[in-house]
Amino acid sequence: MARIIVVTSGKGGVGKTTTSAAIAMGLAKRGHKTAVIDFDVGLRNLDLIMGCERRVVYDFVNVINGEATLNQALIRDKNCNQLYILPASQTRDKDALSQEGVGKILDELKKDFKYIVCDSPAGIEKGAHLAMYFADDAFIVTNPEVSSVRDSDRMLGILSSKSRRAEQNEEPIKEYLLLSRYSPDRVKLGEMLSVDDVQEILSLHLLGVIPESKSVLNASNSGMPVILDEKSDAGQAYADIVARYLGENRPHRFIDDKQGLFGKLFGRK
Amino acid sequence: MSTDSQQNAHQSPILEFKSSTFSVPVLILAGNDVMTIEQQLQEKTQQAPEFFKNSPLVFDLQELNKLELGIDVTELTHVIRKLGLLPIGIRGGSAQQNRQALDLGIPIHSGHIARDGVYAANQPGTGAASTAATPKQQAPEPEPEPELEQVSEPEPPAVTVNTTIITLPVRSGQRIYAAGDLIIVAQVSAGAEIMAEGNIHIYGPLRGRALAGVQGNTEARIFCTDLQAELISIAGNYKVSEDLNSAAHIRPVQIYLQNHALVIKDI
């Protein structure tokens, strides 16, 4: 059975697109056929992070409007042949998306793909609503600061009341917490909420902590999902997250200041 | 391309009907002197001006009619609107009062629904149904039968206490309204709002707003294992986070009303 994963947060700039790209690449690298969809119509970014912006011909909105087939619009990733990207349209806005149209595309993708990752736009309006509506699993990306945590909480409320699963009284969406841009040093200084603080407020299953890392910016600039940078702490954090999502038991890292084996070998980035 | 999307716009429906439940305060009148009503209502609204500002309201004339006290609905509506409240329904009115209300564009809610403890007076569907049914109700002019029924059966709601149990966290932005008691076996996040006509029990941190006895039940209480609330209120008497003693944090407490003041006490 295909599973639809929404990567969402409520707040902007917390790392949704970075996470979508990394998770989709991670799942594909492990041999699962994966599609990643950019729901941020009008503020198209995923293709940049995935490094395929120069190969975009048709987009999500074209497919919804029947101006292109899904196969014409899907872009195969250069690094992994199990991964496909469905870019957003840059010239339209969120109103170009319809629930019916999105549902149809997801149904079609489900026949062919194992995982479908939906990169949600910020906010709680139409784009974000449609990105999460059909989801089976939700990755809530949160930064360790109060406004991000509260927005995530709001989004969790929406997931549990406005999604298709909620409306049809099915088993609720599985929710996972991804704490990004985490800096143990700043937690120690009291400048940042700790993992425990965030979990106390959200009471949510922690899938992983992604440390604040230069490698994320480098990866974005070079159009390579950060998970491909196996030496970087953020890349390893995402690899752990994918493994945990697939049911592997891996101890949490990057929560404490202590340098692990990798840290000693390569130094912190 | 553009013609395509225009066609789509024509084909896809742009409206739909959905049934949903809202919580609306009900004004229950026990006296028919409009001057006194205005005075007391003003006092009430001044206690929580933000809460009452432009708030929809249903007025309930059942008690009044039981005491055979007449009231002019037009005058009453005028007073309510003057105080910044927006009447959206009448309940338990006589045939003439209902007609007056309808003339003012105020729908009629059939009072007997409240008997089940389900707060249905605010469901658009029910409202429409009862409005449609009014001509029939008006037929037996002197004392319409449906109202007699309402008057003779106010007892049952007190017996059938309707308890709502919530087991999932109440997240920021969510609102929960219970017609009876409300039990929450999870946390209530900051920015969430829970309301009950009866008591509220929370087994988990309360970080949002909790309003018990919202229909005026001054006996209602709030029980909570970890009080970090933004606001607590019983029958309109409220305290905001700033007035709460942070010492109540992580200790089970109960909150009740004593001489119009909220008392927070350890359990």
Side-chain angles (χ1 to χ4, degrees), chain A residues 122-154:
Chain A
I124 52 172
E125 283 79 29
K126 194 171 183 186
H129 182 265
L130 286 174
M132 69 88 201
Y133 185 75
F134 297 96
D136 302 304
D137 299 315
F139 287 10
I140 311 292
V141 184
T142 305
N143 288 169
E145 49 99 13
V146 280
S147 63
S148 172
V149 173
R150 176 167 300 188
D151 290 359
S152 296
D153 195 54
R154 178 88 167 99

Side-chain angles (χ1 to χ4, degrees), chain B residues 28-49:
Chain B
I28 299 167
L29 293 177
N32 67 343
D33 181 40
V34 179
M35 290 271 277
T36 318
I37 292 171
E38 178 171 1
Q39 194 193 344
Q40 294 188 2
L41 192 59
Q42 190 165 20
E43 280 169 24
K44 270 270 176 243
T45 50
Q46 272 168 359
Q47 283 173 13

Side-chain angles (χ1 to χ4, degrees), chain A:
Chain A
M1 250 316 260
R3 283 198 83 81
I4 300 174
I5 303 168
V6 61
V7 178
T8 187
S9 70
K11 198 171 185 298
V14 294
K16 285 181 296 296
T17 302
T18 300
T19 299
S20 299
I23 298 293
M25 178 62 81
L27 290 165
K29 277 274 180 198
R30 284 170 155 258
H32 304 292
K33 198 171 177 193
T34 303
V36 55
I37 308 176
D38 190 351
F39 273 79
D40 208 348
V41 177
L43 294 167
R44 189 180 99 189
N45 279 155
L46 181 70
D47 52 321
L48 288 172
I49 309 283
M50 301 290 304
C52 66
E53 75 279 8
R54 288 157 65 181
R55 291 187 287 146
V56 174
V57 183
Y58 295 108
D59 58 51
F60 197 11
V61 174
N62 291 139
V63 183
I64 285 185
N65 291 343
E67 294 150 5
T69 66
L70 197 49
N71 281 333
Q72 283 175 305
L74 282 171
I75 302 168
R76 180 185 280 204
D77 188 78
K78 281 179 298 199
N79 298 297
C80 180
N81 61 13
Q82 294 283 64
L83 180 60
Y84 290 79
I85 299 118
L86 183 56
S89 167
Q90 183 71 354
T91 53
R92 308 291 192 89
D93 60 32
K94 268 73 171 175
D95 291 331
L97 300 175
S98 68
Q99 184 159 309
E100 197 195 352
V102 172
K104 231 157 69 186
I105 290 179
L106 289 174
D107 278 342
E108 211 175 319
L109 286 170
K110 269 170 129 178
K111 290 183 207 147
D112 217 22
F113 288 87
K114 181 82 205 302
Y115 293 104
I116 300 151
V117 178
C118 302
D119 179 22
S120 171
I124 52 172
E125 283 79 29
K126 194 171 183 186
H129 182 265
L130 286 174
M132 69 88 201
Y133 185 75
F134 297 96
D136 302 304
D137 299 315
F139 287 10
I140 311 292
V141 184
T142 305
N143 288 169
E145 49 99 13
V146 280
S147 63
S148 172
V149 173
R150 176 167 300 188
D151 290 359
S152 296
D153 195 54
R154 178 88 167 99
M155 188 45 86
L156 286 163
I158 293 169
L159 288 170
S160 62
S161 59
K162 303 248 171 78
S163 62
R164 185 186 58 86
R165 280 173 175 266
E167 282 182 4
Q168 302 188 354
N169 258 330
E170 291 175 23
E171 195 188 325
I173 294 177
K174 279 210 184 82
E175 300 153 347
Y176 302 93
L177 174 64
L178 274 70
L179 202 53
S180 61
R181 312 195 73 161
Y182 196 74
S183 161
D185 294 341
R186 299 191 63 191
V187 172
K188 223 188 241 169
L189 292 170
E191 295 173 352
M192 205 178 245
L193 295 176
S194 71
V195 176
D196 291 341
D197 292 338
V198 177
Q199 276 204 283
E200 199 197 312
I201 301 172
L202 293 179
S203 45
L204 205 60
H205 177 73
L206 179 71
L207 197 59
V209 172
I210 303 113
E212 173 81 70
S213 167
K214 279 182 193 154
S215 55
V216 172
L217 189 60
N218 293 339
S220 301
N221 288 338
S222 59
M224 294 269 283
V226 69
I227 199 167
L228 293 173
D229 184 357
E230 287 165 15
K231 285 181 191 162
S232 72
D233 44 4
Q236 290 168 29
Y238 278 118
D240 280 0
I241 284 167
V242 171
R244 284 188 205 108
Y245 174 68
L246 293 172
E248 278 176 39
N249 200 352
R250 290 201 184 179
H252 282 287
R253 297 194 277 170
F254 313 111
I255 294 178
D256 298 321
D257 207 13
K258 279 176 261 154
Q259 293 204 347
L261 182 62
F262 276 102
K264 277 176 193 147
L265 286 177
F266 303 108
R268 288 218 149 238
K269 296 213 170 180

Side-chain angles (χ1 to χ4, degrees), chain B residues 123-140:
Chain B
Q123 282 179 1
T126 335
S130 55
T131 315
T134 32
K136 280 181 218 149
Q137 287 183 1
Q138 283 169 3

